[in-house]
Amino acid sequence: MAKMNAQEIAGALEEMAEIMEITGENPFKIRAYHNAAHVVDGLTNLDHLVADEELVKVPGIGKALAEHIAALYKKGHFPEYVQLRKSVPAGVLDMLRIPGVGPKKVKVIWKDMEITSISLLKLACERGGLAKIKGFGEKTAQKILQGIQFIQQHQDQHLYSDALAVAAPILAFLKKHPKVKRVELGGSLRRCKEVVKDIDLVASSSDAKKVMADFVKMPGVESVINHGDTKSSVIIKPGIQVDCRVVSDKEFPYALHHFTGSKEHNVALRTRAKAAGYKISEYGLFKEGKGGETLIPCKDETEFFKKLGLEYIPPEMRENMGEIEAAEKDKLPKLIELKDLTGFFHCHTTASDGKATLDEMVAGAKARGYGYIGISDHSQSAVYAGGLKPAELKKQWAEIDAINKKQKAIYVFKGTESDIHVDGALDYPDAILKNFDFVVASIHGNFNQDMKTATARVCKAISHPACRILGHPTGRLLLAREGLPLDFEQVIDCAVKHDVAIEINANPHRLDMDWRHSFYAHKKRLKIVISPDAHSVAGIDDLQYGINVARKGWWTKADVINTWPLEKVKAWLKRK
DNA sequence: GCCGTTTTCGGCCCGACTGTTTTCAGTCG
């Protein structure tokens, strides 16, 4: 095995935790591994932590895990990991992905029935063998069959934008339900994660049973997984699980907070509350006293946080990335909002691969109240996307000059989205590059580079004097393509040095730069832009998705160039 | 496994739903 990056190490630790669950290790040790996997997944400076032997300083990582992580980083394996993987067949581990099947059931299926793959398990369910085993029954066998069908038919992850589109009509259905008082999205969708596993809803009602009965029968329900008096789960076309929880209206703020998560945020908040003599559950915030516990009434989440001595923490920030500590000290940043944007840069027209003309894009931006728009069609090497040859550029520049002359309501910047060649060079000669108002440099190919080569390539592009924005830095496509492996600390350092902004690409398939890199970026005072990468007028509205992840990365208005007034933007583009 | 403002030992968040039981374990979030 070769050396691993942070995400691969997180996967290995998660795998170890799962194996230990099946073999029946100490549950707290298993939790430590799960927790470490989550922590490592969020680390953006693993190289330095390993090199400086500072892993033990990371909360949740102690001496043992620090050694394991360093070993995985350096050579991709260590004895306990190899041993554990040998102890459980891969097919057995796969069974954990089946909804309703956990480690205890897997152990019985494997040890007592000697079944070692999902396909063999399916056979055993169909032939009735599984239902005869102690602790299992006919209903369990049917449920497992359904679960296997589900994971074989659907990906178990969905783009945020896709999940939101499914959630919106369900939310509307519950909002107009006569027995529903309050209802909100919860879970990772409310926290604006870039990909989500399911849709969570929290509602309040005096007749939960009736709400649940109508919920499992609403339009679009493909199958019902659970149907209880206060909690139900269904599968909605095209294969997204929707969980709904109903509580009394008095309990709503606590339940909403609980089901918004993240799990890590909740655990941290509860642990903190417990130390101060409180208890938190989805039913309330309680003060523990000698006469038992007393409920502390809260009318909404703001009051709930206030009673805990905290500022209101926006859902996007609830990832246990330091938000509780910041809220304690009244140091939470004022997060950016869509209305803060004064204009935007990265978008395309029919001159390259856009669906709308230059005039239509400008009109679309104007109609949405923006004061400027930066046109950046693809550059000449991007043959796949109709990249512009120098002669075509001259034509577009003349058109833009005409628009700017004719009206003053919106200013149009002349730009390009220049491919970054495999060696880091930009795509036009310097004599042409210097005539643009701005250059967005982006990766569109040659993704199979190692981190060192890729980082050097991107840094070279950033260092070009014409480059003002690094577009979608890794080129990833969520749930579809990994993207370039980059050392983001180096890339951010380089961008700061050359006063280049890094883009948060708002296209829901990209959302690149990833919000997890923001924390290092803040330390270095990096500037960013939030760009729609619009290929149509409607694509401009993707900006909201970019705002969502920018909020997850704690970005404020001041850090984002396209919140600035036009004159200040013009000056920055001219390096004044 | 990790962690520490009564701690280096003894804790580690909390509750609903399901199915197979006959009082509860397993799973999920």
Side-chain angles (χ1 to χ4, degrees), chain A residues 323-378:
Chain A
E323 72 278 8
I324 296 173
E325 294 78 0
E328 234 165 36
K329 298 175 199 144
D330 282 352
K331 288 270 172 68
L332 284 179
K334 183 171 175 350
L335 300 182
I336 186 167
E337 296 175 53
L338 184 64
K339 67 176 171 57
D340 293 331
L341 298 184
T342 49
F344 57 88
F345 295 105
H346 182 170
C347 66
H348 300 266
T349 73
T350 46
S352 65
D353 61 347
K355 291 192 179 71
T357 63
L358 173 63
D359 285 335
E360 287 166 345
M361 290 304 289
V362 172
K366 198 158 106 180
R368 284 163 177 74
Y370 293 108
Y372 54 92
I373 175 174
I375 302 295
S376 57
D377 275 306
H378 287 283

Side-chain angles (χ1 to χ4, degrees), chain A residues 141-359:
Chain A
Q142 287 311 312
K143 205 171 176 182
I144 290 177
L145 275 178
Q146 276 179 15
I148 291 173
Q149 199 189 5
F150 179 74
I151 60 170
Q152 287 178 343
Q153 269 181 3
H154 309 294
Q155 271 187 327
D156 56 357
Q157 295 225 290
H158 310 272
L159 290 184
Y160 171 87
S161 53
D162 292 343
L164 192 66
V166 171
I170 301 173
L171 195 60
F173 171 84
L174 288 170
K175 270 196 174 143
K176 65 169 193 254
H177 191 287
K179 291 288 179 187
V180 170
K181 183 120 193 254
R182 286 190 267 182
V183 59
E184 295 269 0
L185 289 177
S188 48
L189 199 56
R190 183 165 183 240
R191 301 200 313 279
C192 299
K193 282 287 285 288
E194 62 278 17
V195 293
V196 304
K197 197 162 161 281
D198 57 16
I199 295 165
D200 292 293
L201 293 152
V202 186
S204 70
S205 172
S206 54
D207 190 354
K209 207 168 175 172
K210 169 75 172 136
V211 177
M212 290 287 77
D214 293 338
F215 173 76
V216 299
K217 283 186 304 207
M218 70 185 170
V221 171
E222 238 172 39
S223 63
V224 179
I225 300 172
N226 294 318
H227 179 190
D229 287 349
T230 64
K231 184 178 174 181
S232 300
S233 301
V234 298
I235 302 289
I236 289 272
K237 284 179 215 167
I240 300 189
Q241 181 169 331
V242 184
D243 300 339
C244 183
R245 178 61 194 271
V246 185
V247 295
S248 72
D249 198 59
K250 195 179 72 178
E251 293 161 337
F252 184 77
Y254 317 102
L256 178 61
H257 176 266
H258 175 82
F259 289 104
T260 297
S262 65
K263 199 169 84 182
E264 291 77 13
H265 167 91
N266 286 356
V267 168
L269 199 68
R270 284 176 182 199
T271 306
R272 179 185 175 276
K274 199 175 168 179
Y278 294 95
K279 189 189 84 174
I280 301 172
S281 81
E282 63 247 58
Y283 296 111
L285 167 62
F286 303 96
K287 178 81 184 166
E288 312 259 28
K290 40 184 188 292
E293 47 187 43
T294 42
L295 176 75
I296 298 176
C298 301
K299 63 177 192 302
D300 54 25
E301 275 189 334
T302 305
E303 204 173 346
F304 170 75
F305 282 114
K306 197 175 167 191
K307 293 280 163 67
L308 285 164
L310 301 171
E311 269 187 279
Y312 175 77
I313 302 174
E316 297 91 329
M317 299 179 85
R318 300 181 199 167
E319 300 290 344
N320 198 29
M321 302 288 264
E323 72 278 8
I324 296 173
E325 294 78 0
E328 234 165 36
K329 298 175 199 144
D330 282 352
K331 288 270 172 68
L332 284 179
K334 183 171 175 350
L335 300 182
I336 186 167
E337 296 175 53
L338 184 64
K339 67 176 171 57
D340 293 331
L341 298 184
T342 49
F344 57 88
F345 295 105
H346 182 170
C347 66
H348 300 266
T349 73
T350 46
S352 65
D353 61 347
K355 291 192 179 71
T357 63
L358 173 63
D359 285 335

Side-chain angles (χ1 to χ4, degrees), chain A residues 406-426:
Chain A
K406 201 168 71 188
Q407 55 83 51
K408 301 288 172 210
I410 182 165
Y411 188 81
V412 186
F413 287 111
K414 300 169 197 158
T416 179
E417 183 182 18
S418 166
D419 265 17
I420 299 176
H421 291 181
V422 65
D423 62 353
L426 298 185

Side-chain angles (χ1 to χ4, degrees), chain A residues 396-407:
Chain A
Q396 186 176 68
W397 290 347
E399 288 169 17
I400 291 175
D401 284 338
I403 295 173
N404 283 334
K405 200 171 170 189
K406 201 168 71 188
Q407 55 83 51

Side-chain angles (χ1 to χ4, degrees), chain A residues 85-104:
Chain A
R85 294 192 73 181
K86 251 192 252 171
S87 67
V88 176
V92 172
L93 219 49
D94 287 342
M95 293 179 201
L96 287 175
R97 288 169 40 234
I98 304 169
V101 177
K104 300 291 160 56

